[in-house]
Structures are given as C-alpha cells and as structure tokens.
Amino acid sequence: MDKLSYLNESSGAWHTYLKQIDRVAPYLEHLKEYIDTLKRPKRALIVDVPIVMDDGSIRHFEGFRVQHNLSRGPGKGGIRYHPDVDLNEVMALSAWMTIKSAVLNLPFGGAKGGVRVDPSTLSARELERLTRRYTSEIGHIIGPQKDIPAPDVGTNQHVMGWIMDTYSSSQGYTVTGVVTGKPVHLGGSLGRIKATGRGVYICGVEAAKRVGLELKGSKVAIQGYGNVGSEAAFLFYDAQAMVVAVQDHTGTIYNREGIDISKLNEYVQQFGGVCGFENTENIANEEFWDVDADILIPAALEGQITAHRANRIKASIILEGANGPTYPEADDILIERGKTIVPDVICNAGGVTVSYFEWVQDISSFFWSEAEINHKLDDLMVKAMDEVWNTATKNHCTLRTAAYILACERILTARKERGIFPG
Ligand code: GLU
C-alpha cells in the first residue's frame, strides 16, 4: 500500500500501531483485501484554535480530531490536552479506539481529538475559551450519531460540560449524547470517572487467576497517578495487594512493605503529586523499572516501555492502563521473558465501556444506579478477557494479537458487508 503523503509513518505512536496491524494480518487471510482500511484514518481534521488570553493577547493552538474508522458505528474517543499532541499521536490514539470498541463489541468506531497545549499554564477562563473554540471548530463532524468525544489526558468532566454546552448552543437544544464523561448533573453517568481504573483492576484479577498469582500480598508498581492509576491503585490496595511503587510527574515513591493508598489520594489533592508522601522513600524515576513487583501498571502516556526497560522489568503481569505504552520490540522481549501483557485495547477499555453506557442512558433519558453500571462493566470486561484469552490459546499468540484478531475480524467483516461505495 502507498504510504500516507502527509505523515512520517516510520516513527511515533502511529508506527507502533502499524506494526501491531502487521502482526495480526497473517490471521486475517480471509479478509486480506480489506486490511488496508485499518492503515489509514477515514477522516482527519486539523484546526486552528485562536483564543483571547486573559491579558488581552491572542494565541493560536493546534487542534485535531481524527475519525479512524466508522464501519461499526459513530466515532468514539477522548480529547487530549497535552504539549506533545500531534497528528501522528492523535491518529494512533484514534486507531486504538477503533480496536478497543471492537474488542468490547461496543457499537462504535474509533476517533480521538487533541489540542497541543499544556493546560496547567492556562487559567480556568482561558481553558474554557480554548475548549469552546475547539468544539466549535470540530462541531460539524461531531454529534451523538457521528462522533462522541470523552475525556483523556489533560481533560476532565468540566471540559466535557463546556463541549456539551457549546455544541448544544449551535444546535439550538440540549444534546447530552454528543459527549461522554460529563458531570452527572448534565447527563453524565455514575461510575464513569472510576471506570477505567476499575477495568484495569478487573483485567488484573482475571490475568492473576489464570497465571496462578495470588493477589493478596502481591506487589504492584504503578506509573501514573491520574484518573486511571489512582483508582487501579486503590482497588489493588483494597484487595490487599501491596502497592510498592508509584510514579507521577513529581517523581517516584517506594515502600517495599506497601504504600498506604487510602491516604495517598488526599495527599495528592493537597500537594499536587505523590512525592514526599509519608512512609515512602523517593527513588530515581529510571529505577521504577527495576522495582521488585508482580504486577506492573503503566498508566501514563504511550512509549514508556522501551526494549531497554523491557529487559529489566521484574513483574510477571503487565496491565496497560495507558494507551500504547509498549514499543513492539519491547513487546517481543517481554513475551520472550515469559511475561503476561494485558494490552491497552482491553485493559483500559473500562472507560469507553461506561462511556457507552452513558451514551445509551442519554439517548433513552433513563439513568441507572452505580451498582448496575459496575455490574454491567464487570460482566463485559470479564467476557472480553475470556474471549481474548481463549483466542490467544487457540492461535498460540499473544493477548495483544488475540485482541486484534477479535477486533479486526469484527471491523473488517463490517467493512466487507457494507461494501465499498459506489462499488
Ligand atoms: N480516553 C479514554 C480512552 O482512551 C476514553 C474514551 C471514551 O470514553 O470514549 O479509552
């Protein structure tokens, strides 16, 4: 297939994604005419986002929304505010959403958006203006039946509320289903904020059971203490695992007897990061990868597990809370070393699964209890883990390739059955 003219495909997260597709291709011989569909996004929009800063000056930010694949339903995926956002990254993240929705069999395609900005440098008013202008720039391609954004790194429920309000203003009526991860008062779902971390934990329980690891007393190391890492940490702590190391933007804390996660959240709220927390020692960030642990949870950004780090990791189970944390070379090394990697496209799918529940609740205007939501989430995640595990066993392949086999089969069958217009 011809390379994309507008992107360097030989590096970055998109390159990692293409390698993952190459690895699944041999298992999809019967659909091979369609596989190139997955190697390019259906639609990619780049927008200029000018805003008036609080001091009266005008600044321009780069914004993106990429709809990777819409064969199985509307686009779905978060919006990231981060200084490293670029087209390459957003394309990869949108593609991983396509795969993720299909692994869980949610009726969505994959999409992702982002603005190249460090949100911590903006005031609340500037952040709101940025969000509203960005929403208005991508407004013609999003919608409850077209493409439904959600939170990601650097965005939260307040940002989703502004997106909902801006989009609704343009339509002339309140459209709650245009975005998920909203505040509960605006049609958000109970359980959504904790859903991704909860999904990581469920995958951990399922993986541990299958490899014969007792969770109680096991050692867990977590990179990232945001929405995903903090909830996963709490659930493992609650199950009497010992969270021995946590890394965030302030540094890495360590206690071989286990960190008191019940108090860590409050500390982070107050001091803005994990460093300095009681009864822990600070270790160098790079030493995090040498920590003696049974379970490792990368829950920050992509491209964290390099070949060099993969050779040092002690954990036997790796739970990918982040999107794309592992380079393909590192994947091979870890598998060679007998590690079990629960890939991002299932491991962090708890978030989009409860986003799906939120969208269904918004459309039907009928809301469920948190217990119902958690129960449905647990059911879907356990079922998907079962399918992925069985597919891996049957095909003698990794869990990542197994997840891709299941997902790509569903996506490409939809492509085939819809046919290529105009035929
Ligand atoms: N940003 C999250 C993810 O990467 C959630 C996406 C969603 O809920 O649509 O899966």
Side-chain angles (χ1 to χ4, degrees):
M1 191 186 74
D2 291 340
K3 282 189 181 296
L4 294 174
S5 64
Y6 56 86
L7 193 82
N8 173 7
E9 294 192 281
S10 56
S11 66
W14 181 250
H15 177 71
T16 299
Y17 165 73
L18 288 181
K19 285 256 179 241
Q20 291 164 346
I21 292 298
D22 286 347
R23 287 173 182 197
V24 72
Y27 299 88
L28 297 167
E29 271 298 307
H30 56 298
L31 290 162
K32 69 168 186 283
E33 287 178 81
Y34 299 96
I35 200 128
D36 285 353
T37 301
L38 296 167
K39 295 188 186 167
R40 45 188 64 212
K42 176 176 178 60
R43 192 175 283 142
L45 180 64
I46 303 178
V47 294
D48 174 37
V49 186
I51 64 164
V52 179
M53 306 298 283
D54 290 346
D55 66 5
S57 64
I58 298 171
R59 267 184 78 185
H60 292 255
F61 296 90
E62 269 175 63
F64 306 88
R65 184 74 188 171
V66 176
Q67 295 170 345
H68 173 259
N69 189 284
L70 306 178
S71 295
R72 301 178 64 256
K76 188 82 196 80
I79 290 174
R80 178 172 293 198
Y81 288 174
H82 192 278
D84 295 337
V85 161
D86 62 16
L87 181 61
N88 184 309
E89 183 188 49
V90 179
M91 275 171 51
L93 292 167
S94 72
W96 285 322
M97 288 310 302
T98 303
I99 305 292
K100 204 186 293 186
S101 298
V103 176
L104 270 289
N105 217 355
L106 309 177
F108 293 133
K112 199 88 176 197
V115 178
R116 194 174 172 86
V117 59
D118 178 353
S120 69
T121 62
L122 299 188
S123 70
R125 291 283 297 124
E126 288 167 342
L127 198 65
E128 179 175 347
R129 285 198 284 271
L130 177 90
T131 301
R132 290 186 182 280
R133 182 61 190 249
Y134 168 69
T135 305
S136 134
E137 295 297 338
I138 65 164
H140 58 292
I141 66 163
I142 62 169
Q145 302 301 333
K146 289 167 139 181
D147 179 2
I148 307 125
D152 196 74
V153 174
T155 58
N156 56 24
Q157 51 171 341
H158 307 297
V159 172
M160 299 306 118
W162 293 324
I163 294 177
M164 193 277 260
D165 183 71
T166 308
Y167 182 82
S168 297
S169 301
S170 76
Q171 302 297 303
Y173 66 104
T174 297
V175 188
T176 52
V178 65
V179 67
T180 59
K182 301 177 292 294
V184 171
H185 290 103
L186 300 180
S189 179
L190 296 169
R192 174 61 186 86
I193 292 177
K194 294 181 173 178
T196 312
R198 186 179 177 89
V200 171
Y201 172 71
I202 298 168
C203 288
V205 171
E206 292 300 303
K209 203 162 67 188
R210 287 171 170 92
V211 305
L213 174 74
E214 174 80 54
L215 269 196
K216 189 173 169 188
S218 66
K219 297 190 274 308
V220 182
I222 304 184
Q223 186 201 33
Y225 203 73
N227 188 30
V228 183
S230 61
E231 181 60 17
F234 180 76
L235 292 172
F236 278 103
Y237 168 83
D238 208 40
Q240 294 175 35
M242 291 190 297
V243 179
V244 293
V246 177
Q247 178 176 98
D248 75 356
H249 63 286
T250 60
T252 307
I253 56 171
Y254 178 72
N255 180 343
R256 58 197 290 266
E257 307 293 330
I259 298 165
D260 186 349
I261 300 296
S262 67
K263 293 192 191 147
L264 184 58
N265 270 352
E266 210 175 297
Y267 180 86
V268 170
Q269 295 279 319
Q270 200 179 342
F271 297 100
V274 298
C275 257
F277 182 58
E278 64 186 44
N279 297 325
T280 62
E281 58 173 303
N282 284 350
I283 58 171
N285 280 339
E286 197 48 38
E287 275 178 44
F288 172 81
W289 305 100
D290 302 309
V291 160
D292 183 19
D294 302 297
I295 298 177
L296 172 73
I297 308 179
L301 293 171
E302 58 269 14
Q304 295 300 301
I305 307 187
T306 56
H308 177 59
R309 289 172 177 171
N311 274 311
R312 291 149 51 199
I313 287 171
K314 300 209 172 50
S316 56
I317 296 177
I318 293 134
L319 302 175
E320 293 187 339
N323 289 308
T326 312
Y327 284 108
E329 321 72 91
D331 231 352
D332 294 342
I333 292 168
L334 290 166
I335 295 297
E336 180 79 9
R337 295 184 59 220
K339 313 293 187 190
T340 298
I341 308 169
V342 184
D344 49 4
V345 289
I346 176 163
C347 196
N348 68 36
V352 70
T353 301
V354 176
S355 275
Y356 166 54
F357 299 158
E358 180 170 331
W359 180 74
V360 169
Q361 292 171 87
D362 287 342
I363 287 174
S364 56
S365 295
F366 181 75
F367 290 85
W368 316 339
S369 71
E370 187 158 358
E372 270 175 281
I373 283 155
N374 286 342
H375 185 72
K376 285 186 166 75
L377 171 62
D378 295 1
D379 268 4
L380 284 191
M381 295 291 301
V382 169
K383 181 166 176 273
M385 267 297 274
D386 225 38
E387 281 181 337
V388 169
W389 204 280
N390 293 341
T391 304
T393 310
K394 194 170 123 208
N395 291 286
H396 307 287
C397 66
T398 63
L399 295 177
R400 190 182 318 277
T401 299
Y404 275 66
I405 293 175
L406 281 169
C408 296
E409 177 95 39
R410 288 173 182 152
I411 301 156
L412 299 180
T413 302
R415 172 76 284 168
K416 182 178 173 186
E417 285 173 353
R418 287 179 66 152
I420 305 282
F421 177 80

